[in-house]
Amino acid sequence: MAERSTAAVDVADNSGDEPLTAKADAATTDGTAQTQDEEGASSQDDAAVRDSSDAVPASPDLHSGHKLARRYRLEECITRLDGFSSWRAVDEKLRRAVGVHLLPADHPRARSVLAAARSSALLGDPRFVQVLDAVEEDDLVYVVHEWLPDATELTALLAAGPLEAHDAYQLVSQISQAMAAAHREGLAHLRLTPGAVLRSSTGQYRIRGLAVNAALRGITADQPLRTDTEAIGALLYAALTRRWPYESDAYGLSGLPKDLGLIPADQVRAGVHRGLSELAMRALANDGATASRQEQPCTTPDELAKAVAAMPRVLPPEPAFTAPPEYQRTTYQQGTYGRPSARPASVTQPVITVPPPPLQSRTGKALKWAVSALLIAALGLGSWQLAETVLDQGNDSGEPVPTRTTEDGDDNNAAEPSKPVTIVGAEDYDPLGDGSEKPASTANAYDGDPSSVWNTDGYYTAAFGNLKEGVGIVLDLGKVQEVGNVDVSFLGNTSVELRTTDGSSIPQAPGGFTSVAQGSGTKVSLKPDKPVRARYVLVWLTKLPLSNDDGRYRGKVADIKITS
């Protein structure tokens, strides 16, 4: 497959078919590329049935610059096969890039494509590339969908090598949960290949072509749940090994050795995570193949998502420590700054350093004035105390001498000033989502530098895309101690809760913490009604501001300070 500069460029071609640019030499006289499906590309193709009984008309002969609905201007043809074409286009009304699938209205699959696109649009799940429009107009049927220029295809990621265990864990977790949600709404994918999975710059995985890609190619399946589940297993297997789990090569990946059958991923490549290897086998379980511990196969995305959730969480790798460069003293620190160059080595004369007269320098004069001021202050304080003692002894009336008190009348019980509480560590907290929320930058939240921030992933609504109640960051105080006030600085107006626990470990769910304060704004002071004692402090974000960077809602914590 010809590589392209971004994943979004190849957004229409996620089936393993070569893009138009890779087929220029094989194009027919009308400019339509010949259809070439890779043999053995995935096991779901074995279970799927391609409807090719009807003659397929030629794809519409359109050109760059053509406008649809006086709004969508076609820019670049990405794919042309099976009587349809896919384009990169511009939505001139909203001034954004979009993708467009085009096919003639008399195409035998036109009705099913429209139905699939409209059903996918109604799902509205941000984990899928969204269908924006589905229209029949002027003898054309076209489907408009999102364009993600900052995302990278899984195909391109695997071209660089296998994924880390944490990335593979996030892949199977997010994809299985998304497909489980789609199947609950009666939608299947049936073409879930490495080209159909994108990873955004925030680390979220997105699925494109839900229902639409299969409808464009006339693909159906007797067991759509099993087909999509096995496809997810194949993606996980490829992510762990950089090998396609079948004998045939596909999607730029080598297949398994001949006559060995389906062997576990940890037997293909050393160092593969054992639990993820077994999970891939459970999803791929077919024709008697099972995981090494003989668990039951996962036959639906929901079963697979539950199996992932039951696994111990796979943590990201520790960042590599880079030793700072060896400290070198400057010439100024070595005492040679501004001195004349050394004399030749042959001339050696002893250097006699004559100290200056005592206290004649500028520093000495300042020291003399400081000592004089201290002596005068000490004499004044001693005189005042002596006078007070004499007055106390000469007081024969027996009346008590009044003393100065604080406003509450109790000099000894005055409240001690608050003291800063040291934060010894922090980690991201996303138990209601994929389990990870920018863990690499959590230290930015309490490093004392407002210019460095810890930010959340990007979401389509302020309420986390209606996917979960919130995310946060857990601060470790090292031991149970008093927490009197937590000051949080945000970039953008953010709603937040303060939750605490005095337990010895971090609770698995937000309900394990006790909510003690809440607020909203850019600088929020979270003060409990009464001082609490805690070791772990959760700053729990419940509503996010709109980010100017990419038009998504994203929480950004610039600084956190805790006082007793």
Side-chain angles (χ1 to χ4, degrees), residues 4-58:
R4 302 183 67 86
S5 59
T6 65
V9 170
D10 201 20
V11 70
D13 183 35
N14 57 13
S15 65
D17 303 313
E18 296 185 37
L20 181 62
T21 54
K23 297 183 179 180
D25 295 336
T28 59
T29 55
D30 62 356
T32 304
Q34 298 175 0
T35 303
Q36 292 181 335
D37 288 335
E38 290 193 58
E39 296 182 1
S42 68
S43 63
Q44 68 262 36
D45 290 342
D46 299 333
V49 178
R50 185 184 295 272
D51 181 11
S52 59
S53 58
D54 297 324
V56 177

Short mmCIF file of all heavy atoms in Angstrom, two decimals, residues 4-58:
data_model
loop_
_atom_site.label_atom_id
_atom_site.label_comp_id
_atom_site.label_asym_id
_atom_site.label_seq_id
_atom_site.Cartn_x
_atom_site.Cartn_y
_atom_site.Cartn_z
N ARG A 4 0.90 7.57 2.67
CA ARG A 4 0.55 8.96 2.46
C ARG A 4 0.97 9.76 3.67
O ARG A 4 1.27 9.22 4.72
CB ARG A 4 -0.95 9.09 2.20
CG ARG A 4 -1.40 8.26 0.99
CD ARG A 4 -2.87 8.46 0.70
NE ARG A 4 -3.13 9.81 0.23
CZ ARG A 4 -3.01 10.17 -1.03
NH1 ARG A 4 -2.61 9.32 -1.94
NH2 ARG A 4 -3.28 11.41 -1.39
N SER A 5 0.98 11.08 3.53
CA SER A 5 1.59 11.93 4.55
C SER A 5 0.84 11.91 5.87
O SER A 5 1.43 12.02 6.92
CB SER A 5 1.69 13.37 4.04
OG SER A 5 0.40 13.87 3.71
N THR A 6 -0.49 11.80 5.83
CA THR A 6 -1.27 11.76 7.06
C THR A 6 -2.29 10.66 6.96
O THR A 6 -2.64 10.19 5.88
CB THR A 6 -2.02 13.10 7.31
OG1 THR A 6 -2.97 13.28 6.27
CG2 THR A 6 -1.06 14.27 7.35
N ALA A 7 -2.79 10.25 8.16
CA ALA A 7 -3.81 9.21 8.16
C ALA A 7 -5.08 9.70 7.52
O ALA A 7 -5.82 8.94 6.90
CB ALA A 7 -4.08 8.77 9.59
N ALA A 8 -5.37 10.99 7.68
CA ALA A 8 -6.63 11.52 7.17
C ALA A 8 -6.69 11.49 5.66
O ALA A 8 -7.75 11.39 5.07
CB ALA A 8 -6.83 12.94 7.67
N VAL A 9 -5.55 11.58 4.99
CA VAL A 9 -5.57 11.58 3.53
C VAL A 9 -6.17 10.30 3.00
O VAL A 9 -6.87 10.30 2.01
CB VAL A 9 -4.12 11.78 3.01
CG1 VAL A 9 -4.06 11.54 1.52
CG2 VAL A 9 -3.65 13.17 3.34
N ASP A 10 -5.91 9.20 3.68
CA ASP A 10 -6.40 7.92 3.21
C ASP A 10 -7.67 7.51 3.93
O ASP A 10 -7.94 6.35 4.11
CB ASP A 10 -5.32 6.85 3.44
CG ASP A 10 -5.52 5.64 2.54
OD1 ASP A 10 -6.21 5.79 1.51
OD2 ASP A 10 -5.00 4.57 2.87
N VAL A 11 -8.45 8.50 4.34
CA VAL A 11 -9.59 8.22 5.21
C VAL A 11 -10.64 7.35 4.55
O VAL A 11 -11.34 6.60 5.21
CB VAL A 11 -10.23 9.56 5.68
CG1 VAL A 11 -10.92 10.26 4.55
CG2 VAL A 11 -11.18 9.33 6.81
N ALA A 12 -10.75 7.41 3.23
CA ALA A 12 -11.79 6.62 2.58
C ALA A 12 -11.34 5.21 2.32
O ALA A 12 -12.16 4.33 2.12
CB ALA A 12 -12.18 7.27 1.26
N ASP A 13 -10.06 4.97 2.34
CA ASP A 13 -9.54 3.68 1.89
C ASP A 13 -9.03 2.88 3.07
O ASP A 13 -7.85 2.83 3.33
CB ASP A 13 -8.41 3.91 0.88
CG ASP A 13 -7.90 2.58 0.33
OD1 ASP A 13 -8.73 1.69 0.18
OD2 ASP A 13 -6.70 2.47 0.08
N ASN A 14 -9.93 2.32 3.84
CA ASN A 14 -9.51 1.57 5.00
C ASN A 14 -9.77 0.08 4.84
O ASN A 14 -9.90 -0.65 5.80
CB ASN A 14 -10.20 2.08 6.27
CG ASN A 14 -11.70 2.04 6.14
OD1 ASN A 14 -12.23 1.41 5.23
ND2 ASN A 14 -12.39 2.73 7.03
N SER A 15 -9.83 -0.37 3.63
CA SER A 15 -10.18 -1.75 3.41
C SER A 15 -9.00 -2.62 3.05
O SER A 15 -9.14 -3.83 2.93
CB SER A 15 -11.19 -1.84 2.25
OG SER A 15 -10.55 -1.40 1.07
N GLY A 16 -7.84 -2.05 2.84
CA GLY A 16 -6.72 -2.83 2.34
C GLY A 16 -6.60 -2.71 0.85
O GLY A 16 -5.62 -3.17 0.26
N ASP A 17 -7.58 -2.06 0.16
CA ASP A 17 -7.47 -1.81 -1.27
C ASP A 17 -6.49 -0.67 -1.49
O ASP A 17 -6.46 0.28 -0.73
CB ASP A 17 -8.84 -1.41 -1.85
CG ASP A 17 -9.88 -2.47 -1.57
OD1 ASP A 17 -9.57 -3.64 -1.80
OD2 ASP A 17 -10.98 -2.11 -1.12
N GLU A 18 -5.71 -0.75 -2.56
CA GLU A 18 -4.73 0.29 -2.82
C GLU A 18 -5.44 1.58 -3.22
O GLU A 18 -6.42 1.59 -3.94
CB GLU A 18 -3.77 -0.14 -3.93
CG GLU A 18 -2.94 -1.35 -3.57
CD GLU A 18 -1.93 -1.64 -4.65
OE1 GLU A 18 -1.39 -0.69 -5.24
OE2 GLU A 18 -1.69 -2.81 -4.91
N PRO A 19 -4.90 2.76 -2.75
CA PRO A 19 -5.49 4.03 -3.17
C PRO A 19 -5.28 4.25 -4.66
O PRO A 19 -4.47 3.60 -5.30
CB PRO A 19 -4.70 5.06 -2.35
CG PRO A 19 -4.03 4.29 -1.27
CD PRO A 19 -3.85 2.91 -1.80
N LEU A 20 -6.00 5.25 -5.17
CA LEU A 20 -5.94 5.54 -6.60
C LEU A 20 -4.54 5.89 -7.03
O LEU A 20 -4.08 5.49 -8.10
CB LEU A 20 -6.89 6.70 -6.92
CG LEU A 20 -6.96 7.13 -8.38
CD1 LEU A 20 -7.46 6.00 -9.25
CD2 LEU A 20 -7.84 8.35 -8.53
N THR A 21 -3.80 6.61 -6.19
CA THR A 21 -2.46 7.02 -6.57
C THR A 21 -1.53 5.83 -6.74
O THR A 21 -0.55 5.92 -7.48
CB THR A 21 -1.89 7.95 -5.50
OG1 THR A 21 -1.99 7.30 -4.24
CG2 THR A 21 -2.62 9.27 -5.47
N ALA A 22 -1.80 4.74 -6.06
CA ALA A 22 -0.96 3.55 -6.19
C ALA A 22 -1.37 2.70 -7.37
O ALA A 22 -0.72 1.71 -7.69
CB ALA A 22 -1.01 2.73 -4.91
N LYS A 23 -2.50 3.03 -8.01
CA LYS A 23 -3.00 2.21 -9.10
C LYS A 23 -3.04 2.96 -10.42
O LYS A 23 -3.79 2.62 -11.32
CB LYS A 23 -4.43 1.74 -8.76
CG LYS A 23 -4.51 0.85 -7.53
CD LYS A 23 -5.93 0.41 -7.36
CE LYS A 23 -6.07 -0.51 -6.16
NZ LYS A 23 -7.43 -0.95 -5.97
N ALA A 24 -2.25 4.00 -10.55
CA ALA A 24 -2.33 4.81 -11.77
C ALA A 24 -2.04 3.99 -13.00
O ALA A 24 -2.66 4.17 -14.05
CB ALA A 24 -1.35 5.98 -11.66
N ASP A 25 -1.08 3.07 -12.87
CA ASP A 25 -0.72 2.28 -14.04
C ASP A 25 -1.80 1.27 -14.41
O ASP A 25 -1.86 0.79 -15.55
CB ASP A 25 0.59 1.53 -13.77
CG ASP A 25 1.75 2.48 -13.59
OD1 ASP A 25 1.65 3.62 -14.11
OD2 ASP A 25 2.72 2.10 -12.92
N ALA A 26 -2.64 0.90 -13.43
CA ALA A 26 -3.65 -0.11 -13.69
C ALA A 26 -5.02 0.48 -13.96
O ALA A 26 -6.02 -0.22 -14.02
CB ALA A 26 -3.73 -1.07 -12.50
N ALA A 27 -5.12 1.81 -14.09
CA ALA A 27 -6.41 2.45 -14.29
C ALA A 27 -6.98 2.10 -15.65
O ALA A 27 -6.27 1.92 -16.63
CB ALA A 27 -6.26 3.97 -14.17
N THR A 28 -8.30 2.02 -15.71
CA THR A 28 -8.97 1.72 -16.97
C THR A 28 -9.14 3.00 -17.76
O THR A 28 -8.79 4.08 -17.32
CB THR A 28 -10.35 1.10 -16.68
OG1 THR A 28 -11.11 2.03 -15.91
CG2 THR A 28 -10.22 -0.19 -15.92
N THR A 29 -9.72 2.88 -18.95
CA THR A 29 -9.82 4.05 -19.84
C THR A 29 -10.70 5.14 -19.30
O THR A 29 -10.52 6.30 -19.62
CB THR A 29 -10.37 3.60 -21.21
OG1 THR A 29 -11.61 2.93 -20.99
CG2 THR A 29 -9.39 2.67 -21.88
N ASP A 30 -11.67 4.82 -18.46
CA ASP A 30 -12.55 5.85 -17.92
C ASP A 30 -12.03 6.41 -16.61
O ASP A 30 -12.71 7.16 -15.94
CB ASP A 30 -13.98 5.33 -17.73
CG ASP A 30 -14.02 4.18 -16.72
OD1 ASP A 30 -12.94 3.77 -16.26
OD2 ASP A 30 -15.12 3.73 -16.40
N GLY A 31 -10.82 6.06 -16.23
CA GLY A 31 -10.23 6.61 -15.01
C GLY A 31 -10.60 5.84 -13.77
O GLY A 31 -10.20 6.21 -12.67
N THR A 32 -11.34 4.77 -13.89
CA THR A 32 -11.76 4.00 -12.74
C THR A 32 -10.75 2.91 -12.45
O THR A 32 -10.45 2.10 -13.31
CB THR A 32 -13.14 3.36 -12.97
OG1 THR A 32 -14.05 4.40 -13.29
CG2 THR A 32 -13.60 2.62 -11.74
N ALA A 33 -10.23 2.89 -11.23
CA ALA A 33 -9.25 1.87 -10.88
C ALA A 33 -9.92 0.52 -10.79
O ALA A 33 -11.06 0.38 -10.39
CB ALA A 33 -8.57 2.23 -9.56
N GLN A 34 -9.20 -0.51 -11.18
CA GLN A 34 -9.74 -1.86 -11.08
C GLN A 34 -9.78 -2.27 -9.62
O GLN A 34 -8.93 -1.93 -8.83
CB GLN A 34 -8.84 -2.83 -11.86
CG GLN A 34 -8.78 -2.51 -13.35
CD GLN A 34 -7.80 -3.40 -14.07
OE1 GLN A 34 -7.17 -4.24 -13.46
NE2 GLN A 34 -7.68 -3.21 -15.36
N THR A 35 -10.81 -3.03 -9.26
CA THR A 35 -10.99 -3.47 -7.89
C THR A 35 -10.03 -4.60 -7.59
O THR A 35 -9.97 -5.58 -8.32
CB THR A 35 -12.43 -3.96 -7.67
OG1 THR A 35 -13.31 -2.89 -8.02
CG2 THR A 35 -12.65 -4.37 -6.23
N GLN A 36 -9.27 -4.43 -6.50
CA GLN A 36 -8.33 -5.46 -6.09
C GLN A 36 -8.44 -5.63 -4.59
O GLN A 36 -7.91 -4.84 -3.84
CB GLN A 36 -6.89 -5.06 -6.46
CG GLN A 36 -6.64 -5.04 -7.96
CD GLN A 36 -5.20 -4.66 -8.26
OE1 GLN A 36 -4.55 -3.99 -7.46
NE2 GLN A 36 -4.71 -5.08 -9.37
N ASP A 37 -9.12 -6.65 -4.12
CA ASP A 37 -9.20 -6.94 -2.69
C ASP A 37 -8.05 -7.88 -2.33
O ASP A 37 -7.81 -8.85 -3.03
CB ASP A 37 -10.53 -7.63 -2.33
CG ASP A 37 -11.68 -6.65 -2.40
OD1 ASP A 37 -11.40 -5.44 -2.24
OD2 ASP A 37 -12.81 -7.09 -2.63
N GLU A 38 -7.36 -7.57 -1.25
CA GLU A 38 -6.26 -8.44 -0.84
C GLU A 38 -6.79 -9.80 -0.40
O GLU A 38 -7.74 -9.89 0.36
CB GLU A 38 -5.51 -7.80 0.34
CG GLU A 38 -4.72 -6.58 -0.05
CD GLU A 38 -3.79 -6.21 1.08
OE1 GLU A 38 -2.97 -7.04 1.48
OE2 GLU A 38 -3.91 -5.08 1.56
N GLU A 39 -6.13 -10.84 -0.86
CA GLU A 39 -6.54 -12.17 -0.49
C GLU A 39 -6.11 -12.44 0.94
O GLU A 39 -4.98 -12.18 1.33
CB GLU A 39 -5.90 -13.20 -1.42
CG GLU A 39 -6.37 -13.05 -2.89
CD GLU A 39 -5.74 -14.11 -3.75
OE1 GLU A 39 -4.99 -14.92 -3.21
OE2 GLU A 39 -6.01 -14.12 -4.96
N GLY A 40 -7.04 -12.98 1.73
CA GLY A 40 -6.73 -13.32 3.11
C GLY A 40 -6.47 -12.11 3.97
O GLY A 40 -5.73 -12.21 4.94
N ALA A 41 -7.00 -10.94 3.62
CA ALA A 41 -6.70 -9.73 4.38
C ALA A 41 -7.12 -9.86 5.82
O ALA A 41 -6.43 -9.41 6.71
CB ALA A 41 -7.36 -8.52 3.74
N SER A 42 -8.24 -10.46 6.10
CA SER A 42 -8.66 -10.67 7.48
C SER A 42 -9.68 -11.77 7.52
O SER A 42 -10.31 -12.09 6.53
CB SER A 42 -9.25 -9.39 8.07
OG SER A 42 -10.47 -9.10 7.45
N SER A 43 -9.84 -12.35 8.72
CA SER A 43 -10.76 -13.47 8.84
C SER A 43 -12.20 -13.03 8.69
O SER A 43 -13.06 -13.84 8.37
CB SER A 43 -10.56 -14.14 10.19
OG SER A 43 -10.86 -13.23 11.21
N GLN A 44 -12.52 -11.75 8.98
CA GLN A 44 -13.90 -11.33 8.80
C GLN A 44 -14.31 -11.36 7.35
O GLN A 44 -15.49 -11.50 7.02
CB GLN A 44 -14.15 -9.94 9.41
CG GLN A 44 -13.46 -8.80 8.71
CD GLN A 44 -12.20 -8.44 9.44
OE1 GLN A 44 -11.54 -9.33 9.95
NE2 GLN A 44 -11.88 -7.18 9.47
N ASP A 45 -13.33 -11.21 6.42
CA ASP A 45 -13.66 -11.32 5.01
C ASP A 45 -14.05 -12.75 4.67
O ASP A 45 -14.82 -13.00 3.75
CB ASP A 45 -12.46 -10.91 4.15
CG ASP A 45 -12.21 -9.42 4.26
OD1 ASP A 45 -13.13 -8.71 4.70
OD2 ASP A 45 -11.10 -8.98 3.92
N ASP A 46 -13.46 -13.73 5.38
CA ASP A 46 -13.85 -15.12 5.15
C ASP A 46 -15.29 -15.36 5.56
O ASP A 46 -16.01 -16.13 4.94
CB ASP A 46 -12.93 -16.06 5.94
CG ASP A 46 -11.47 -15.90 5.51
OD1 ASP A 46 -11.25 -15.51 4.34
OD2 ASP A 46 -10.59 -16.15 6.34
N ALA A 47 -15.70 -14.68 6.67
CA ALA A 47 -17.07 -14.87 7.13
C ALA A 47 -18.05 -13.97 6.41
O ALA A 47 -19.24 -14.22 6.38
CB ALA A 47 -17.14 -14.59 8.64
N ALA A 48 -17.55 -12.87 5.84
CA ALA A 48 -18.42 -11.92 5.17
C ALA A 48 -18.73 -12.37 3.76
O ALA A 48 -17.97 -13.08 3.13
CB ALA A 48 -17.78 -10.54 5.16
N VAL A 49 -19.85 -11.89 3.26
CA VAL A 49 -20.30 -12.24 1.91
C VAL A 49 -20.37 -10.96 1.11
O VAL A 49 -21.06 -10.02 1.49
CB VAL A 49 -21.68 -12.93 1.95
CG1 VAL A 49 -22.14 -13.22 0.53
CG2 VAL A 49 -21.61 -14.19 2.76
N ARG A 50 -19.63 -10.86 0.00
CA ARG A 50 -19.64 -9.69 -0.86
C ARG A 50 -20.73 -9.88 -1.91
O ARG A 50 -20.72 -10.84 -2.67
CB ARG A 50 -18.28 -9.49 -1.52
CG ARG A 50 -18.21 -8.21 -2.33
CD ARG A 50 -16.87 -8.11 -3.05
NE ARG A 50 -15.79 -8.00 -2.11
CZ ARG A 50 -15.35 -6.85 -1.62
NH1 ARG A 50 -15.93 -5.72 -2.00
NH2 ARG A 50 -14.34 -6.80 -0.77
N ASP A 51 -21.66 -8.93 -1.97
CA ASP A 51 -22.77 -9.01 -2.91
C ASP A 51 -22.34 -8.42 -4.24
O ASP A 51 -22.25 -7.21 -4.40
CB ASP A 51 -23.98 -8.23 -2.34
CG ASP A 51 -25.17 -8.29 -3.27
OD1 ASP A 51 -25.12 -9.10 -4.22
OD2 ASP A 51 -26.14 -7.53 -3.04
N SER A 52 -22.03 -9.26 -5.22
CA SER A 52 -21.58 -8.78 -6.52
C SER A 52 -22.45 -9.31 -7.65
O SER A 52 -22.01 -9.44 -8.78
CB SER A 52 -20.12 -9.20 -6.74
OG SER A 52 -20.00 -10.60 -6.68
N SER A 53 -23.69 -9.61 -7.33
CA SER A 53 -24.56 -10.21 -8.34
C SER A 53 -25.00 -9.19 -9.38
O SER A 53 -25.25 -9.53 -10.52
CB SER A 53 -25.80 -10.83 -7.65
OG SER A 53 -26.48 -9.82 -6.91
N ASP A 54 -25.10 -7.91 -8.98
CA ASP A 54 -25.56 -6.89 -9.91
C ASP A 54 -24.38 -6.22 -10.59
O ASP A 54 -23.29 -6.10 -10.03
CB ASP A 54 -26.38 -5.83 -9.16
CG ASP A 54 -27.64 -6.44 -8.56
OD1 ASP A 54 -28.20 -7.33 -9.21
OD2 ASP A 54 -28.01 -6.02 -7.44
N ALA A 55 -24.59 -5.76 -11.79
CA ALA A 55 -23.55 -5.03 -12.50
C ALA A 55 -23.32 -3.70 -11.81
O ALA A 55 -24.27 -3.01 -11.43
CB ALA A 55 -23.97 -4.81 -13.95
N VAL A 56 -22.06 -3.34 -11.65
CA VAL A 56 -21.71 -2.12 -10.94
C VAL A 56 -21.45 -1.03 -11.95
O VAL A 56 -20.56 -1.16 -12.80
CB VAL A 56 -20.46 -2.35 -10.07
CG1 VAL A 56 -20.07 -1.03 -9.39
CG2 VAL A 56 -20.72 -3.43 -9.04
N PRO A 57 -22.20 0.10 -11.92
CA PRO A 57 -21.95 1.19 -12.87
C PRO A 57 -20.64 1.90 -12.54
O PRO A 57 -20.11 1.79 -11.43
CB PRO A 57 -23.14 2.12 -12.66
CG PRO A 57 -23.59 1.84 -11.26
CD PRO A 57 -23.32 0.39 -11.01
N ALA A 58 -20.12 2.63 -13.52
CA ALA A 58 -18.88 3.37 -13.31
C ALA A 58 -19.09 4.46 -12.27
O ALA A 58 -20.18 5.02 -12.13
CB ALA A 58 -18.41 3.98 -14.63
#
